[in-house]
């Protein structure tokens, strides 16, 4: 499935320098979508300065939702709307492993600005 337009619209909501979006798909429909953003003051006291798109998408799901059959697509876009490298950080990678999600794919940078994916080893 290609969620690029949906992801680009959501990523534009980001208030961060680099715009990321994470889409969780269960094989039939999008079950959650998140974008990166600055953390609220209460979260900053806990050491979080930004909410990553992957974390945002996971937080928006019902905690009882079974992710075993779901795939997450993580996008990053430049100012022209072209995909860039969006490999999840170590903290997000750990959260994704703990969530039980089946697969995570992230965008990579290409010279011709085409959309290509890498799979995150879980």
């Amino acid at each position: 499935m290609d969620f690029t337009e949906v992801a680009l619209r959501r990523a534009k909501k980001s208030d961060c320098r680099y715009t990321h979006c994470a889409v969780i798909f269960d094989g039939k429909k999008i079950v959650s979508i998140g974008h990166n953003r600055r953390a609220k003051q209460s979260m900053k006291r806990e050491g979080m300065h930004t909410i990553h798109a992957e974390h945002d998408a996971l937080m928006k799901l019902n905690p009882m939702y079974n992710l075993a059959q779901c795939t997450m697509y993580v996008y990053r876009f430049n100012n022209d709307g072209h995909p860039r490298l969006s490999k999840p950080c170590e903290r997000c990678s750990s959260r994704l492993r703990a969530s039980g999600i089946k697969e995570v794919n992230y965008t990579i940078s290409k010279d011709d600005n085409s959309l290509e994916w890498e799979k995150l080893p879980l």
Side-chain angles (χ1 to χ4, degrees), residues 3-120:
F3 307 108
T4 305
E5 290 304 316
V6 171
L8 183 57
R9 280 194 308 273
R10 176 55 69 96
K12 287 181 179 179
K13 292 183 175 188
S14 173
D15 58 1
C16 298
R17 180 176 174 195
Y18 300 107
T19 59
H20 295 261
C21 176
V23 176
I24 301 176
F25 181 67
D26 71 359
K28 296 177 186 162
K29 65 184 181 308
I30 293 174
V31 295
S32 186
I33 188 166
H35 65 277
N36 63 322
R37 56 192 163 81
R38 289 189 177 99
K40 294 185 168 121
Q41 195 61 38
S42 60
M43 296 176 106
K44 287 181 181 178
R45 280 185 238 119
E46 297 171 18
M48 293 183 68
H49 295 281
T50 59
I51 306 297
H52 291 193
E54 305 92 327
H55 187 201
D56 192 40
L58 289 172
M59 288 190 315
K60 291 178 179 175
L61 270 177
N62 178 329
M64 301 307 290
Y65 197 89
N66 183 357
L67 292 170
Q69 298 304 313
C70 293
T71 301
M72 178 182 278
Y73 298 90
V74 186
Y75 295 81
R76 176 180 157 210
F77 299 100
N78 67 9
N79 291 337
D80 295 325
H82 299 298
R84 293 294 177 252
L85 179 64
S86 191
K87 183 176 182 180
C89 70
E90 283 303 314
R91 186 168 48 180
C92 287
S93 295
S94 294
R95 282 188 179 122
L96 291 165
R97 284 185 201 95
S99 76
I101 197 161
K102 176 178 81 171
E103 185 176 313
V104 176
N105 298 291
Y106 58 91
T107 56
I108 59 173
S109 296
K110 297 295 287 182
D111 290 338
D112 64 358
N113 294 322
S114 62
L115 181 64
E116 292 209 23
W117 300 96
E118 293 269 333
K119 188 180 289 191
L120 183 71

